[in-house]
Amino acid sequence: MRLGIFGGSFDPPHVGHLLAAVDAYESLALDRLVFVPAAAQPLKVGAATGTPQQRLEMVRLMVEGDPRFAVDPIEIARPGLSYTVETLEEFERRAPDAERFFLVGADTLGSFTRWREPERVLRLARLVVLRRATTVETPSFAEEGELPRAPEGMEPLVLETRRVDVSSTEVRARVRAGESIRGFVPDAVAAYIERARLYR
């Protein structure tokens, strides 16, 4: 089984997340892609504005009815900060024979060496860096950030995803400004944000 694991704050999840997941699913020939919303990320403490349960529910709404995707509350159910190494250890325990791919945005590479046990992260799953495709020449992986050496056959991959210029920060700002977020997030997520009066 080829298993993709896509972590993040998802505050809120938006169409960029969804399209990146579709690109990863297809390009890596995954059997399943699991979204893992973080409870409290060590390098983003105090930055999230939706509660863990609200963000979990929004991700569930985003992928509802799509058999390619699943949502796992593992980090929200676990007390304390969300460490990727612990999450990947649990996925290894659950599915020891699965070929695991851990999906991250290119913007996270600068902080990767400050993660807990980054060397072990690279042993537990193959790191896949999601980078928005551009019309300019793309830099080599080495230029994206210095990473610990991965085991042979587990070298990180760079996956070019379609360019979607939308971010969670922009969505939150549009809500605060009273602007429409239709088209920025799935309709079910937009309706949830409205009902819960999030980001106001």
Side-chain angles (χ1 to χ4, degrees), residues 129-191:
V129 180
L130 304 174
R131 185 170 57 197
R132 294 174 184 172
T134 63
T135 55
V136 300
E137 183 178 351
T138 53
S140 70
F141 186 85
E143 291 174 325
E144 294 282 5
E146 292 301 320
L147 299 178
R149 182 177 296 277
E152 186 174 351
M154 295 285 283
E155 294 84 3
L157 302 172
V158 174
L159 176 61
E160 300 285 353
T161 64
R162 69 196 77 211
R163 186 171 181 83
V164 182
D165 287 321
V166 59
S167 69
S168 295
T169 300
E170 180 182 9
V171 173
R172 294 194 301 268
R174 290 183 68 86
V175 173
R176 282 194 300 271
E179 297 172 341
S180 173
I181 56 172
R182 295 286 176 176
F184 289 77
V185 300
D187 288 348
V189 173

Side-chain angles (χ1 to χ4, degrees), residues 93-109:
R93 187 191 68 77
R94 293 180 189 174
D97 296 328
E99 189 174 357
R100 293 175 297 277
F101 298 84
F102 183 64
L103 314 180
V104 298
D107 57 343
T108 67
L109 285 186

Side-chain angles (χ1 to χ4, degrees), residues 35 49 91 107 126 144 168 181 199:
F35 287 83
T49 56
F91 275 103
D107 57 343
R126 192 161 192 179
E144 294 282 5
S168 295
I181 56 172
Y199 312 126

Side-chain angles (χ1 to χ4, degrees), residues 7-29:
S9 298
F10 303 115
D11 191 25
H14 53 69
V15 293
H17 292 130
L18 189 57
L19 290 173
V22 170
D23 287 342
Y25 184 91
E26 295 175 350
S27 297
L28 298 171

Side-chain angles (χ1 to χ4, degrees), residues 56-138:
L56 175 65
E57 182 60 22
M58 286 189 286
V59 176
R60 284 176 170 158
L61 288 168
M62 179 176 71
V63 304
E64 190 173 39
D66 193 325
R68 298 172 296 182
F69 303 133
V71 183
D72 196 311
I74 178 174
E75 294 192 350
I76 289 172
R78 189 171 62 224
L81 297 175
S82 300
Y83 291 105
T84 295
V85 67
E86 295 175 357
T87 299
L88 294 180
E89 285 171 344
E90 176 61 19
F91 275 103
E92 181 187 47
R93 187 191 68 77
R94 293 180 189 174
D97 296 328
E99 189 174 357
R100 293 175 297 277
F101 298 84
F102 183 64
L103 314 180
V104 298
D107 57 343
T108 67
L109 285 186
S111 65
F112 186 81
T113 56
R114 291 160 38 213
W115 292 19
R116 175 175 285 186
E117 298 185 67
E119 297 87 355
R120 181 152 173 73
V121 169
L122 295 176
R123 292 196 300 272
L124 288 166
R126 192 161 192 179
L127 187 70
V128 179
V129 180
L130 304 174
R131 185 170 57 197
R132 294 174 184 172
T134 63
T135 55
V136 300
E137 183 178 351
T138 53

